[in-house]
Amino acid sequence: MIAGRSFKRVIICSRQRLRIAFKRFSTTVSAQQQVVPEKLSMPKSAWLFGLGGLAPFGAAWYSTLKDEDDSPQQDRTHTAHLVYGASISSFLGAVHWGMEMGARGTGMLLTGSPTVRLAYSVTPSIISWMGVCVYTGSLKEAFAIPQILNRNLTDDQRESAERNPTNVSKEQKRSGAGMVTGALVLAWAYDMFKRKQFPRGYMVLRTLLTTGAVFSLTPQLDSTSRAHARILLDRVESRLEERISGFGALESSQATSNNFPEMQEDKNLKTATAKEPDSSDR
């Protein structure tokens, strides 16, 4: 009997302890759910500045299609285009550097390895910088290779090398433009992989901006793409000219219709004046 009563007490105590533990667990889970904040949407100014950043890409794209192929002016346009693309890719990589430093400054830790995040943050800038160097034919100078190799040359050899610099081939220019384009695509792909760490709407804006930037760089990658883009631009310009001319004709017709009653009154007045007899005739 005594053993049976003690067994019942043990069962009752264990049930009570399980209830208390379950209540504590549910309270802790609910508290953690309340502490985790919801994702916020991006400010409207981010959309404004982001879409405004597409303006230099559009201007360079338009200049590339209007300039003659392989002209010095087009080459300068391409260089400015790639330099701006490299600066944008550097900015996109630096976003993750800032996230890591900002999180540590506030006592928070982001998911994933900080070493991988920081290593990636400088990768787009290095790739795009090397792409600009390849396009301009200054990759060796960027690493001081000619200065190291030519230190034993005579003055005459240096002067002849400066007078006859090697020209940059079209394939080399395409490779440089492809490296800058690849850096922009890489930045978008990594942001898509880490999209859970960004606010709502960020990847929508990133996809839109990356598509516009890559589209503006495609004429530099292939002559066929440049030809198709010129056809598209000519069609858009012809449509705009038709719309503008049609709008001007509509305005002129509306102005004529508005002035028609006044013209009719002047005509009637002149007719009545001609019909009145002159005083000298009387």
Side-chain angles (χ1 to χ4, degrees):
M1 294 293 292
I2 297 173
R5 291 178 182 176
S6 61
F7 182 71
K8 288 182 179 179
R9 289 178 182 177
V10 170
I11 294 176
I12 293 171
C13 291
S14 61
R15 287 180 179 178
Q16 291 177 355
R17 289 177 181 177
L18 287 174
R19 289 175 182 175
I20 294 171
F22 180 75
K23 288 182 180 180
R24 289 179 180 176
F25 177 74
S26 60
T27 305
T28 305
V29 171
S30 61
Q32 290 179 355
Q33 291 177 354
Q34 291 177 359
V35 170
V36 176
E38 294 183 358
K39 275 190 175 183
L40 300 177
S41 58
M42 288 196 310
K44 295 181 180 180
S45 57
W47 286 88
L48 179 63
F49 294 135
L51 294 176
L54 284 178
F57 283 113
W61 177 79
Y62 182 80
S63 300
T64 298
L65 300 181
K66 286 299 182 181
D67 296 336
E68 295 181 1
D69 290 342
D70 302 329
S71 63
Q73 185 176 357
Q74 190 183 62
D75 187 63
R76 290 192 297 269
T77 301
H78 287 177
T79 304
H81 197 179
L82 293 180
V83 169
Y84 182 71
S87 64
I88 293 298
S89 64
S90 301
F91 166 76
L92 296 175
V95 169
H96 294 271
W97 184 285
M99 288 175 61
E100 181 66 30
M101 297 302 165
R104 290 180 176 270
T106 56
M108 298 175 60
L109 291 177
L110 299 176
T111 58
S113 173
T115 304
V116 174
R117 184 177 293 105
L118 295 177
Y120 158 75
S121 65
V122 298
T123 301
S125 60
I126 294 175
I127 295 175
S128 56
W129 169 72
M130 292 181 66
V132 173
C133 292
V134 169
Y135 182 87
T136 56
S138 58
L139 185 62
K140 295 180 180 180
E141 287 77 5
F143 291 98
I145 294 176
Q147 288 75 11
I148 295 173
L149 297 179
N150 297 340
R151 60 185 178 182
N152 296 325
L153 296 179
T154 61
D155 294 337
D156 296 336
Q157 290 175 342
R158 288 197 183 95
E159 289 180 0
S160 62
E162 291 177 357
R163 291 174 183 174
N164 300 316
T166 57
N167 295 324
V168 182
S169 62
K170 293 182 180 180
E171 290 76 11
Q172 190 172 351
K173 291 182 178 181
R174 291 172 185 169
S175 299
M179 292 177 69
V180 176
T181 306
L184 292 171
V185 175
L186 174 65
W188 175 85
Y190 190 83
D191 287 349
M192 181 62 72
F193 179 70
K194 296 288 186 179
R195 61 185 179 275
K196 294 182 179 180
Q197 299 179 358
F198 295 108
R200 291 197 306 267
Y202 179 78
M203 287 313 302
V204 177
L205 178 62
R206 284 284 289 107
T207 303
L208 180 63
L209 298 181
T210 302
T211 303
V214 172
F215 177 78
S216 68
L217 287 167
T218 49
Q220 297 192 33
L221 301 176
D222 188 14
S223 59
T224 305
S225 301
R226 188 161 54 248
H228 289 307
R230 279 175 176 161
I231 294 173
L232 177 62
L233 182 61
D234 292 339
R235 289 180 180 177
V236 172
E237 287 182 344
S238 62
R239 291 287 181 85
L240 289 175
E241 290 177 358
E242 291 176 0
R243 292 289 181 87
I244 293 172
S245 60
F247 184 73
L250 181 62
E251 284 188 345
S252 61
S253 63
Q254 289 180 354
T256 305
S257 62
N258 292 333
N259 295 330
F260 181 75
E262 297 179 358
M263 296 172 62
Q264 190 68 24
E265 291 180 359
D266 294 340
K267 185 177 180 180
N268 295 334
L269 182 59
K270 289 180 180 179
T271 305
T273 306
K275 289 182 179 181
E276 290 181 356
D278 193 1
S279 60
S280 58
D281 295 337
R282 292 177 182 177

